[in-house]
Amino acid sequence: MVKLSRDDIYIISQNSNWSAKGVQSILKQNIYSSPTSWQQFLRLFFLSLGIGFATFGVLFFFAYNWADLHKFVKLGLMEGLIIITTFVVLFSKFNDLIKNLALTSASILVGVLFAVFGQIYQTGANAYDFFLGWTLFISLWVLISNFAPLWLIYLTLINTTLVLYSQQVAQDWSGVFISTLLLLVNSLFFIFFIVGFKKITKISFPKWFFYTIALAAIFSATIGIVIGIFSKFDISFWTLFVLTSILYASAVWYSLQINTTFYLAIIAFSLVVIITSFLIKIFKSDASYLIVTLFIIGSITFSIKLLLDLQKKWTNG
Amino acid sequence: MDKNEQILATLKSVQDFEGKEFQCNEQAILLEYQKREQNKTSLAIKILSLFGGFFATQSFLGFLSLMGLFDSPTALVAVGIAFVIAAISINKKFDKIIFDTISISAYVTGLVLLGIGLHFFNATNSVIALAIFVVAFITLVLNQTYILSFVAVITACGSILSLIILNKVYELFQMYTVLIAAMLTYVILNEGKIITINNKFSKLYNPIRIGLIFSLLFGLAFLGNRTILDLNIGFIWLSSVMLMLLVIYLVSQIVKILEVTDKKNQITIYLLTVLVLSSTIFAPSILGAILIVLLCFLVNYKTGLVIGIIALIYFISQYYYDLNFSLLTKSIILIVSGILFLVFYAFIHKKSVQNEKI
C-alpha cells in the first residue's frame, strides 16, 4: 500500500466518489497518530509537565524567600549555578548538544549574576555597562562553543550594548551614525562566519543563523537610510549610502552564487521601503499617495516575478 | 514521468482498498497535482508578497481618504462593499500568491470601511457587528480559497465576540467557548464525513478547522483574563465542567486507540484524568488548551498541535500568575502537581515497558 499524504487524500476524494467510511479509515491508517506515537507523546507530555511544575515550584520557593536571603547567599547561589553548569560542560559524558545547551545556560546565568549584583548594590542594571560587561565576560566561551544559538545571543548583546551606549552616553551620535555602526558590525560578523568558519573549523552553521544576521544588518541599513532621507543629506548619510550599496551588491552576487532567494527578497523589500520614503519626501502633495501605491504594487510584482523565475531556473536547470 | 507513475500507483492502491464501486476522474487528479507543483513558493517570497499587498492597499486607502472618502458615509459603505466584492472575485479568478495578499488586504479594509460607514449612518454597534457577521458568512458560501475563508471564519467569530462585549452579557462567553469547542471536536473527529459531502466542504475543511481553533483561543483568552479585564462572570465552573466532559469523551476515544483492554487499567486512567482535570476547575482556559492539544495530536495536525501547546503554556502561566495565594503556597501547589504528573508518567512508562515485553 503506497503511503498516502493528507493532500493526496483530499485531491483524490474531491475528484472521485470515495465513500465517507473509506476516507475515514484511510485517514486512520495513514495519517492519524498510531498507538506508539501516542505513548511517546503522553510520556513526553507528562514528563515535561512534571519537571516543569516541580522546577517552577522550587523557583517560586526561592522567590518567596529572596528578600530575606543574605546577600552572600544570593551571590553564592548564582555563582554555584554557574560552576555547576560549567562542570557539566567540561566533565560530564553527555552528547555535544546537551553540553552546548549547558554552556548557553551558563552564559545566560552570567548575565543573571551581574543583574543580581546590580540589584544588591543598586548600580542601575539597565546601563550599557551591564551589557558590556556581560558581553566581554562570555566572549571566550562563545568563541570556543561553535553553537549557533549562543553566537546569536552574543550578537544580540553586542547590538544592545551599542544601542544603549548611543542612548545613554554618546547622545550626539546621529541616528544615521549608529545605524552605520550596527550595519558594519553585523555585516562583518556575517562575512566572518561565511568565509572564516569554513576555513578554520569546518563546522557550518544552520541557515536561519545567517538569515537572522543578514536581517539585522539590512534592517539597520534600511532604518539608517530612511532616517537620513527625512533629516539631512550630510557626510554620514552618504557614507552609509555608499556602504549599503556595496554590501547590497555583494549580497546579491552571493545570493546568485549559492542559489537562495532569501537575501534577494529582503534586499528587494528594503529597497522598496527606501525608495518609498524617498518618494514621500520629494512629492509632498496629495498625489504622493497614489504614486506610492502604484510604485509599491509595481516594484513588488516585479521583484516577485524575478524571484519566482530565478527559483524555477534553479529547481529545473 | 516519475511523479505521474507515483500518482497512478496511489490511485490503484486506493481502488484495491475501496472495491469495485470506486470511480475517479484521473485527468482532473493529474491536473491538480501539476497545478500544485507549479505554485510552490519559498517562505521569503510569501512574506514579501504579504507586505507588498498590505502596503499597496493601505497607500491606496490613503489616496482615497485624501480625495475626501471619509467625508461621505454613502461613499464609505459603497467603497467598503466594493473592496469586499473585489477581494472575493480576485481570489476566485487568480491563483498566484500576490493576488492572494492583495485580496486579503482589500477584504479587511473593505470590512473596516463598511463598519465606519455604517457608524456614520448612526447604526448601533450591534447592528454593525451583525452586518459584518453576515458578510463573513456569505464570503464562506461564495469562496473556498484557504486564506480568505480563514479570515472570514475569524471575522465571523470575532463579530459574535464583539456582540457579547458590546451588550455586556459576559456570561455568554462561556456558552460561546463551549459551543466552539464542541464544533471543533465534531469537525476534527469527522474529517472523512465532512470532506466527502461535496467539493465546497472539502476545500473549506482546512480553513474552518484552523479558524475554529483560533476562535476558540480568543474565547479562552477572555475566560482566562477575566480578572484582568474586570468581567464579572459567575459560575465559571459551568464551562469548566462542559469542557471537562468533552476532554473525557476524547480520553475514551484515545483509550480505544491505545487498545487498553484491561478493565483495571481503564479505571486507573479515568481516575487519574479526573484527578488531574479537577485541579483546573476554575481555569476553563487550561481545559480548552488541553482539548486542542489532544484533538490535534489525534489527527496528526502539527500546526494545531504547536498552537495548542503554546496556548497551554501561556494559560497555565497566566493562571498561576493570577492566583491569589502567597508565593510559598503557590510553590507548594506547583511541586505537588509536578509530583502528580510524574506519577502519571511513571504509570505510562511502566505500561509501555510491559507491552514491549509481550
Side-chain angles (χ1 to χ4, degrees), chain A residues 122-169:
Chain A
Q122 293 295 308
T123 59
N126 208 11
Y128 81 96
D129 44 21
F130 164 65
F131 283 97
L132 183 63
W134 189 358
T135 316
L136 290 175
F137 271 79
I138 66 172
S139 300
L140 200 57
W141 283 349
V142 173
L143 271 171
I144 63 166
S145 75
N146 294 337
F147 190 46
L150 187 54
W151 271 105
L152 265 186
I153 293 178
Y154 188 61
L155 279 172
T156 318
L157 285 178
I158 294 182
N159 276 302
T160 318
T161 314
L162 282 172
V163 169
L164 283 179
Y165 184 77
S166 73
Q167 280 180 356
Q168 292 172 351
V169 176

Side-chain angles (χ1 to χ4, degrees), chain A residues 36-288:
Chain A
T36 28
S37 30
W38 265 110
Q39 283 196 341
Q40 276 178 333
F41 170 71
L42 287 174
R43 275 155 69 176
L44 191 62
F45 184 67
F46 285 111
L47 188 62
S48 327
L49 274 182
I51 293 185
F53 270 67
T55 315
F56 273 98
V58 169
L59 273 175
F60 273 32
F61 182 75
F62 273 107
Y64 175 75
N65 291 312
W66 191 251
D68 301 327
L69 285 176
H70 189 260
K71 57 187 180 213
F72 285 173
V73 175
K74 290 184 198 175
L75 287 173
L77 201 66
M78 291 281 98
E79 290 171 359
L81 279 175
I82 295 184
I83 294 180
I84 293 178
T85 37
T86 350
F87 265 39
V88 163
V89 173
L90 287 174
F91 298 122
S92 69
K93 291 202 179 55
F94 293 122
N95 63 25
D96 273 348
L97 177 63
I98 297 191
K99 285 197 179 181
N100 277 326
L101 283 173
L103 192 59
T104 313
S105 356
S107 310
I108 298 182
L109 282 174
V110 168
V112 176
L113 173 67
F114 286 172
V116 167
F117 189 82
Q119 182 206 38
I120 297 178
Y121 294 105
Q122 293 295 308
T123 59
N126 208 11
Y128 81 96
D129 44 21
F130 164 65
F131 283 97
L132 183 63
W134 189 358
T135 316
L136 290 175
F137 271 79
I138 66 172
S139 300
L140 200 57
W141 283 349
V142 173
L143 271 171
I144 63 166
S145 75
N146 294 337
F147 190 46
L150 187 54
W151 271 105
L152 265 186
I153 293 178
Y154 188 61
L155 279 172
T156 318
L157 285 178
I158 294 182
N159 276 302
T160 318
T161 314
L162 282 172
V163 169
L164 283 179
Y165 184 77
S166 73
Q167 280 180 356
Q168 292 172 351
V169 176
Q171 274 148 357
D172 52 337
W173 285 359
S174 70
V176 177
F177 183 68
I178 181 72
S179 309
T180 320
L181 204 56
L182 287 175
L183 171 66
L184 265 176
V185 165
N186 287 320
S187 322
L188 280 174
F189 268 102
F190 186 78
I191 298 176
F192 167 69
F193 278 118
I194 294 186
V195 170
F197 249 107
K198 291 242 178 76
K199 298 206 166 136
I200 300 180
T201 51
K202 299 209 193 296
I203 297 181
S204 57
F205 279 162
K207 268 192 295 188
W208 51 262
F209 179 70
F210 292 106
Y211 288 175
T212 320
I213 303 185
L215 261 177
I218 294 185
F219 181 72
S220 30
T222 317
I223 296 233
I225 294 194
V226 169
I227 292 180
I229 289 182
F230 283 115
S231 54
K232 48 190 184 345
F233 290 152
D234 58 359
I235 183 78
S236 53
F237 174 75
W238 290 116
T239 324
L240 178 61
F241 188 74
V242 168
L243 194 60
T244 315
S245 321
I246 299 179
L247 282 170
Y248 277 13
S250 22
V252 167
W253 172 82
Y254 179 68
S255 246
L256 294 173
Q257 291 288 83
I258 62 170
N259 289 355
T260 47
T261 51
F262 183 77
Y263 304 112
L264 295 172
I266 52 180
I267 288 180
F269 182 63
S270 155
L271 286 174
V272 167
V273 170
I274 292 176
I275 300 184
T276 312
S277 28
F278 185 65
L279 285 176
I280 293 184
K281 171 151 181 166
I282 57 177
F283 289 111
K284 290 206 209 316
S285 67
D286 289 346
S288 69

Side-chain angles (χ1 to χ4, degrees), chain A residues 4 8 10 17 24 32-33, chain B residues 10 23 33 191-192 205 297 299:
Chain A
L4 289 173
D8 295 333
Y10 274 64
N17 66 348
Q24 190 73 9
Y32 289 2
S33 307
Chain B
T10 317
Q23 296 162 338
Y33 271 107
E191 190 170 354
Y205 183 77
F297 189 75
V299 297

Side-chain angles (χ1 to χ4, degrees), chain A residues 12 16-19, chain B residues 11 14-16 18-24:
Chain A
I12 296 180
S16 62
N17 66 348
W18 214 345
S19 66
Chain B
L11 279 176
V14 170
Q15 185 139 35
D16 291 337
E18 193 58 11
K20 294 197 204 75
E21 300 96 38
F22 182 72
Q23 296 162 338
C24 63

